[in-house]
Amino acid sequence: MSEQLSAKQLREAIEKLFSDAGYTVPGVLPAIDAMVKDNDRLKQELKKLRLAAARGSSVGDGMNSRLKDALRE
């Protein structure tokens, strides 16, 4: 089982295991849903931070050259 499963595939696999076993664990499926939402949120946050870091490095270079100019005077 080395391939990556999507959230939908994971949910279906767990539901099948529940039906095969004849019992359920009520907290598992909501926990999976919460983890998927949290993962999506973290991916968006990472994307924003990477974009901010890429933009920030160019701004930092500009301030650095201004500092160098001020020190030269």
Side-chain angles (χ1 to χ4, degrees):
M1 193 164 174
S2 62
E3 74 274 355
Q4 292 288 327
L5 296 175
S6 70
K8 183 179 178 181
Q9 291 170 328
L10 183 60
R11 179 179 261 288
E12 290 171 354
I14 290 176
E15 287 174 348
K16 183 175 181 336
L17 284 173
F18 283 165
S19 67
D20 290 347
Y23 69 95
T24 63
V25 179
V28 172
L29 295 176
I32 291 172
D33 293 336
M35 285 188 278
V36 168
K37 287 179 185 176
D38 194 36
N39 188 32
D40 291 340
R41 181 187 58 79
L42 289 172
K43 284 180 183 178
Q44 291 296 323
E45 186 177 339
L46 180 61
K47 186 177 179 181
K48 288 179 188 176
L49 290 173
R50 283 183 176 162
L51 183 61
R55 288 181 180 165
S57 65
S58 64
V59 171
D61 293 341
M63 287 192 289
N64 191 16
S65 66
R66 281 187 245 146
L67 178 61
K68 287 179 184 178
D69 291 342
L71 291 173
R72 280 189 209 124
E73 292 180 7

